[in-house]
Amino acid sequence: MPSPFMGIDIASRALRAFQYSLDVTGNNISNVNTKGYSRQTADLAQTEPTIFYSGQRISLGSGVTVATVYRARDMFLQSRRLDAQAEQGRLDTLVTNLGQVDSTLLEPSENGIGNALTSFFDAWSSLASNPNESASRSQVQMAGQTLANRVRDTYGRLQTLKTQFRSEIETTFDNIDQLTGKIADFNAQIRAAQAGGVTPNDLLDQRDLALQELSKLVNVSTHQFSDGSIAVYTGQVMLVDSGGAIPIPRSYDAAAQTVSNGQFTYRIREGKLAGLFQTVSAIASYQSQLDALANNLRTQVNTLHQTGVNKLSPPTTGLNFFNDSVPQNGAIDFDLAPEVKANPDAIAAGTTGKAGDGGLALILSQLRDTQIASLGNKTFNAYYTEFAANVGSVVDGYKTALSAKTAVLSQIDAQIQSISGVSLDDEMGNMLRFQRSYQAAAKMLNIFDQVTGDLISMVR
Amino acid sequence: MRISTAYQFDTYANNVRLSELKYFDAQNAVMTGRRINKISDDPFGTSVSLNMRSFKAAANQYKANLTIGKGVLSYSESALDEMTTAMRSAYSVAIQAGTDTMDQAARDALASQIDSLQKQLLELANTRGPSGQYIFAGQANDNKPFTVTATPGNNPLTLTSGMYLNYNGDDLDVTVESGPGQTLAVNVKAQNLIKDAYAALDQLKVDLQGGNVSAISGVDIEKVKNAMNAIVKERGNVGTKLHSVATLTDHYTRRIDDLTKTISDVEEVDLSEAIMNYKLAYNAYNAALSVASQGYQLSLLDFIQ
C-alpha cells in the first residue's frame, strides 16, 4: 500500500522539476548574447516507481525529476569549425596584410615606379634628341632621381611593413601561449569537476571558446581524454597535454612556414600565424624583385654610361650614372652616383664629347625596349608591370579564397547555431510550457492537500 | 532548422552591413569615377593600364622629340631660304656684269655688293638653332662652323682671293628619336654646299674687281647658278623632312588619343553603368534595412500577455 502522502510527494517533485526547468530556460534567455554559450535543456526523467501489492504487484509512477542539464553541442561540427576558422584566419591575415603591400605600390597612378621608369627613358630620349639643351640633362638627372627615390621608398615601405608583421608574429606567439594556458587551466578544473560527478557546462563552453580563439591563430586538432580534459596539437606540435600547456616553439622560418624547437621543425599550415609567415615571405620576395630591378638598372645604365664623355670642364669619362658597389646592394641604397647628383653636366649624352652627339643617350633611351637576360628576358617596364600585377593578383586570389572560406564558415556557424544557439521564441514557448506545468503541479498539490485533509477529518 | 536569436540578429546585421558595403562601393565608384584604385581591384586591368601608360608616355616623348626636330628643321629651312635669296641676288649681279657695257667703277660697286652677300652667306651658315647650337655644324655644333681666315684652319678651302674658308664642324647626323628603334636626322650636311656657294661668290667678286668679263659670263654665272640650285634642292629635302615630321606627329597625336581612351576605359568607370549599379545597390540596401527592421521587431514576446 503506498503512503497516503505520495501524491503530495509527486506534486512537490513536479514543482521542483518545473522550477529547475524554468531556471534553465531563464539561464538560456540570460545568456542569449553570451559568446560561446551553448543552449541548455533540463532533461526530465521519471523517478523510480513505487511497487506495492494489491492482489498482485503493481508499479506506481512516482513523478518526475531533472536527470541532467544537457548542453546542446555537436562535437563534429565544432571540429569542422576549428579547421575552417584556421583557414579563414590565414586568408584573412593575408588579404589584410598584402592589401597594405598592394597600396604601397601606388599603382596605377602617376606616382608609382612604373611611371618613373617610363619618364626615365623618356628623359634619355629627350636628351638624345636635343643634346645641346642643358635642360635635357637636368631632365635626365631629375627623372633618374625620381626613379631611384621611388624604388628606394617602395622598398623602405615594404621593409617597415615586414618589421611590423614580424613583431605581429611575436604577439601571435604570445596570444597562442595565453590561450593554451587558459585551455590547460580549464582542463584542470573540468577534470576536478568531472571527478566530483558534475558536468561543468560553463567550463566546457569556455574551453571551447578558447579553442575557437586559438584556431584563428593556428590550425588545431584535439584529442579528448576520458577524464574530460583535452590535448591540443597544431600539426605535430603539442600545445596542451594532460600535464598542462607547452609554449609554442618560437624560432621560425617564414619562407618555409615552419617553427622549430631546435630539435624538430614543424610546419604551420593555417591560422593567422601561417598567414603572417606567408605575408613576411611574400614581402621578402617582393623586396628581392625590387633589388633585381635596382641592380639591373645599375648594371645596364652604368655599363653604357661609363663609355660616354660628359659635359664637365674638363670632360670626363667612365662615370657611373647610378651609385654602385661590389657586391650590389639592391634597392635599399639605390641612388644617383654622387657626381651625377651634384651636377647634371656629369651626364654623358654621347661617346665623342661633341656637343651635338646624343648617340649614347639614344642607346640608353632604347634600353626601354631591350630585353634584359637577368630579368628573365623582359624589359624593365615589363618586369615591373608583371611584378605589380602579380602583387595585385595574389591579393585578389586570396580575396576570392577568403570569401569562399567565409561562406563555408558561416554555413558551419549556421549549423552550430541551429543546434547550440538560444532562440528567444523557443525559450518563451518553453517558459509558458513550464509555467503552465508548474501551475498544474501547484493545483495538483492543492487537490492532494484537500484529499489528505479529507482523510484526516474522517478520523476526527 | 532552428534559428537561434543571436544567429538571426547577427545575420540581419551582416546582411545590412554587406548591402551597406556594396552601396558604399557603388557610391564611391560614381564619386571618384575610378574603377581601379588598387592593383588588386583588377590585376589584369592594372597590367594593361601600366603598359598603356608606358606606351602613352613614350608616344608623348617621341612627339616632343619630333617638335625639337621640327624646330631645327624650320631654322634650317629659313636659313636655306635666305641663302637662296642671297644667291639669287648674286646671280642677277653676275648676269648684269656678264655684259660688256659696264665700266669698272660700276663693276667695283657690284663687287662690294657681292662682298656683303658673302658676309650674309657666312652669317647664315653660322645660324644657331633653338638651343643655341650651330645647325650646319653636324654634331660638333658648339663651335662656329664656318670661318674665313688668312691662314688655313680646319678643313680649309683655298679661295680665289687667297683667303681660306674653314669648316670646324663634322659630317655626322644630328638625330632625334622618332619612334622605337627609329631616328630621324634633322640636320643639313652643309659643308660642301656652303663651301661651293661661298667659293663661287668669291670668284665672282675677284673677277668683278679684275674686270674679267669673259670669266664672269663663261664660268662664274654657271657656278653661282649651280651653287644656288644645290641650296634650293637641299631646301626641298628639308621640306620633305618637315612634312614627314608633321605626319609622324599627327600619328602620335592620334595614338596618344587612342591610348588615353584605352587607359580611361580600363581605369575609369562607365558612368551610366556606375549610376545603374548605384541605384541597384541603393534599392538593395533600402530593402535590407526595411526587412531587417521588421525582423528585429517580430517576437513571440509581443503576443504573450
Side-chain angles (χ1 to χ4, degrees), chain A residues 39 102 107-108 110 118 122 125-126 129 132-133 354 356 362 365 368 414 417-418 421-426, chain B residues 2-5 7 34 39-40 43 50 53 57-58 61 65 131 133 139 141-142 170 175 177 183 300-301:
Chain A
R39 178 172 62 100
D102 180 354
E107 298 291 3
E110 304 294 321
T118 311
D122 283 350
S125 175
S126 179
S129 305
N132 295 98
E133 183 60 58
K354 288 179 180 171
L362 180 67
S365 161
R368 84 166 83 212
Q417 281 290 326
S418 150
V422 177
S423 159
L424 285 180
D425 289 348
D426 275 11
Chain B
R2 282 181 74 253
I3 304 292
S4 78
T5 306
Y7 182 65
R34 285 181 68 81
I39 309 171
S40 52
L50 280 174
R53 276 171 179 271
Q61 184 57 48
N65 292 349
S131 300
Q133 75 273 41
Q139 287 189 359
N141 56 10
D142 53 346
D170 58 30
T175 57
E177 193 177 15
T183 56
L300 187 56
L301 277 167

Side-chain angles (χ1 to χ4, degrees), chain B residues 249-261:
Chain B
T249 307
D250 280 355
H251 163 74
Y252 282 124
T253 308
R254 275 199 306 277
R255 181 141 171 72
I256 289 163
D257 285 350
D258 287 351
L259 287 167
T260 308
K261 191 175 170 308

Side-chain angles (χ1 to χ4, degrees), chain B residues 180-200:
Chain B
Q182 289 167 22
T183 56
L184 188 74
V186 293
N187 63 325
V188 175
K189 289 182 195 165
Q191 181 179 185
N192 294 331
L193 207 65
I194 305 282
K195 276 182 174 169
D196 288 352
Y198 195 88

